[in-house]
Amino acid sequence: MFLIPRPSRRHLLVGGAVGSLALAATAVLPVTNAMAATGCAVTYTTNSWQGGFTANLTVKNLGDPVSNWTLGFTFPDGGQRVVQGWSATWQQSGSAVTGRSLDYNGSLGTGASTTVGFNGSWTGSNPSPTSFTLNGTVCTGGTGTPPPSTPPPTTPPPTTPPPTGTTPVAINGQLRVCGVNLCNQYGRPIQLRGMSTHGLQWFANCYTDTSLGALADDWRADLLRISMYVQEKGYETNPTAFTNQVNTLVDKAEARGMYALIDFHTLTPGDPMYNLDRAKTFFAAVAARNAAKKNVIYEITNEPNGVSWSTIRSYAEQVIPVIRAADPDAVVIVGTRGWSSLGVSEGGNSDEIVNNPVRADNIMYTFHFYAASHKDNYRNEVQRAASRLPLFVTEFGTVTYTGDGAVDVASSNAWLDLLDRLKISYANWTFSDAAEGSAALRPGTCAAGTFTGPSVLTESGAYMRDRIRTPDTFPTS
Ligand code: IDC
């Protein structure tokens, strides 16, 4: 509309008369667009195995700053598929793939780069794509148009403000799964270490402001797992009351800067489908109520047993959409076959999951162990699975699988050293005063109401507190 020759527009900008300002404001925009330099460089690295692969891409913006971006490429082989992605919203149509930026990584200044990725599957062969686009421009490693003639702005681009506070949630913010890791708001892998409640229907008096204050400050725990049994006088007997009790504990964890893992504690019967309708009702309610919070993680079934992986997977693919509809960005954890043993306790292994992953992104898989019962063959399988699946140890004991007996220090050390090395997050069974070896607190502690000092801890409690209270090393940028 305003066909003003370029020099006069400059003139208007620099020394424009008052009467020309409206014209200038309208006319300058197309100039900026016309001058916008585009350019990009993409690296694509893969780690591939029979039928599957992980792809990591670094996207570098060589042009003018962008505030959101879409990466595009085409798979060379028709059998290549994106299965589960991170750090971008991935879509595939035929062989064409796009990854759209998320809020946190949409702004890319000139020269800035970001990493994104996905797990994929392949059938014939798995060649890497050779050409990429960023916002439609082919990435040649240079700029597509000349650099703007205006000098770069002298004010620095806005930066993310540092976290306020030093609690685990203040530092790490909203979590998400990246590759096989749990990552914090900076996209860096972290490990959360914390405790699980016992059944809320039995031990409500163990979860008070005082006890959770001790867990956060004296134990320096990152995580509270909230175990809401469904059977055994649990959720099924009073859905409203148990939902409210869970929400209250989410708030108490949040107030102390701890993550809250909401555990839909199915155990007997072992088929999660038995509780499918209850799970949908429960998760619709807690996901809607807690959607805005950054500290919530959902564990949709505790320990499936006596059922196939395909049944568990089908359950997950029905419950996850209910959560996503209300709370799209939260991490969801899926139980595995054989009491969440990755199948090992029922003669299987993690291959069944790798070959048939749950079709949803931002998810992890559960592994549970009891140190006095589960040893090297389980550790070996966790080590093998950890490079291929995002794992979360949502429950483990230092004792036998009965929840009772003496602490197996050697096996507990071997397990926790392995989890630390692999950055696998964990919650210990239990922060309660149950009269059993796995409980961290001596019988009578919760009624007495004092939760610190050497006299309140059992052997397992003292061992776990020592492990958990060592400093975290959360990346802060
Ligand atoms: C146990 C409790 C015990 C309770 C029993 C039945 O420690 O007090 O009587 O459940 O509800 C699991 C389960 C967890 C078990 C725990 C120990 O997830 O509910 O708790 N365990 O047996 N899987 C393996 C062991």
Side-chain angles (χ1 to χ4, degrees):
M1 231 203 300
F2 299 104
L3 295 175
I4 303 167
R6 198 164 286 177
S8 43
R9 269 181 255 168
R10 290 238 171 78
H11 175 77
L12 284 175
L13 263 184
V14 175
V18 173
S20 307
L21 282 179
L23 178 61
T26 316
V28 163
L29 283 171
V31 176
T32 313
N33 286 345
M35 295 296 289
T38 55
C40 43
V42 173
T43 59
Y44 180 101
T45 53
T46 51
N47 176 8
S48 188
W49 59 91
Q50 187 58 46
F53 66 105
T54 296
N56 280 297
L57 299 93
T58 303
V59 181
K60 185 169 190 179
N61 177 26
L62 298 172
D64 284 344
V66 292
S67 57
N68 55 62
W69 47 264
T70 300
L71 171 74
F73 64 84
T74 301
F75 278 133
D77 186 295
Q80 291 169 297
R81 284 275 169 282
V82 173
V83 175
Q84 181 198 5
W86 54 91
S87 304
T89 305
W90 295 96
Q91 281 189 332
Q92 181 168 359
S93 169
S95 292
V97 177
T98 55
R100 274 187 296 111
S101 58
L102 304 179
D103 280 353
Y104 86 94
N105 64 3
S107 293
L108 279 186
T110 305
S113 50
T114 188
T115 57
V116 298
F118 56 85
N119 288 328
S121 63
W122 57 273
T123 48
S125 62
N126 189 32
S128 298
T130 50
S131 176
F132 301 87
T133 59
L134 192 68
N135 288 347
T137 298
V138 177
C139 296
T140 59
T143 47
T145 57
S149 56
T150 46
T154 49
T155 47
T159 52
T160 314
T164 51
T166 55
T167 67
V169 176
I171 296 170
N172 295 299
Q174 178 62 54
L175 306 175
R176 63 180 182 280
V177 179
C178 55
V180 294
N181 293 114
L182 180 64
C183 288
N184 69 7
Q185 61 180 330
Y186 306 108
R188 306 276 300 275
I190 61 163
Q191 178 198 33
L192 301 178
R193 298 173 295 161
M195 294 296 292
S196 175
T197 71
H198 203 296
L200 300 182
Q201 75 275 39
W202 299 310
F203 291 91
N205 70 340
C206 290
Y207 312 111
T208 62
D209 287 332
T210 312
S211 72
L212 297 178
L215 189 61
D217 300 332
D218 180 45
W219 288 60
R220 300 181 196 150
D222 310 319
L223 171 72
L224 175 71
R225 179 190 194 226
I226 302 168
S227 278
M228 188 199 69
Y229 275 70
V230 185
Q231 276 71 46
E232 301 185 58
K233 301 199 167 73
Y235 175 83
E236 66 180 359
T237 64
N238 191 341
T240 306
F242 280 97
T243 303
N244 290 342
Q245 192 180 8
V246 167
N247 286 333
T248 300
L249 292 176
V250 166
D251 293 352
K252 287 190 192 300
E254 183 187 38
R256 290 161 184 81
M258 288 189 288
Y259 288 91
L261 176 56
I262 299 181
D263 162 30
F264 193 69
H265 201 85
T266 58
L267 183 60
T268 311
D271 183 350
M273 289 298 190
Y274 178 81
N275 288 303
L276 178 63
D277 288 343
R278 289 182 198 92
K280 287 181 177 173
T281 303
F282 172 72
F283 281 108
V286 291
R289 194 269 188 183
N290 298 305
K293 296 183 189 292
K294 294 185 172 160
N295 72 317
V296 178
I297 304 170
Y298 302 99
E299 181 182 0
I300 60 175
T301 175
N302 168 50
E303 292 190 350
N305 56 86
V307 284
S308 66
W309 167 243
S310 69
T311 299
I312 303 166
R313 179 179 185 251
S314 164
Y315 168 86
E317 290 182 354
Q318 294 177 71
V319 176
I320 292 170
V322 172
I323 297 175
R324 295 281 192 250
D327 187 351
D329 62 354
V331 172
V332 175
I333 307 175
V334 181
T336 60
R337 191 159 74 89
W339 295 274
S340 287
S341 67
L342 295 171
V344 178
S345 289
E346 290 180 355
N349 62 47
S350 59
D351 290 349
E352 66 191 19
I353 305 169
V354 172
N355 294 336
N356 261 311
V358 172
R359 286 162 292 191
D361 61 10
N362 211 24
I363 63 161
M364 306 186 84
Y365 297 94
T366 310
F367 180 79
H368 288 176
F369 66 87
Y370 279 76
S373 307
H374 308 123
K375 301 195 174 173
D376 280 343
N377 59 323
Y378 288 87
R379 282 190 280 267
N380 291 341
E381 183 58 14
V382 167
Q383 176 139 352
R384 196 173 76 92
S387 63
R388 305 188 297 168
L389 296 170
L391 301 180
F392 198 125
V393 173
T394 61
E395 179 186 311
F396 75 95
T398 58
V399 299
T400 71
Y401 70 88
T402 63
D404 207 357
V407 174
D408 187 329
V409 175
S411 178
S412 296
N413 282 341
W415 272 114
L416 295 183
D417 290 349
L418 178 68
L419 301 187
D420 290 353
R421 185 162 61 74
L422 297 172
K423 280 201 191 306
I424 295 178
S425 298
Y426 64 72
N428 173 251
W429 186 261
T430 56
F431 191 62
S432 83
D433 64 354
E436 56 188 15
S438 56
L441 305 169
R442 292 195 198 166
T445 300
C446 299
T450 299
F451 294 89
T452 51
S455 64
V456 304
L457 298 177
T458 63
E459 187 191 359
S460 189
Y463 174 86
M464 284 313 308
R465 177 174 169 276
D466 281 349
R467 289 293 307 210
I468 288 175
R469 76 195 303 275
T470 58
D472 290 305
T473 52
F474 298 132
T476 54
S477 62

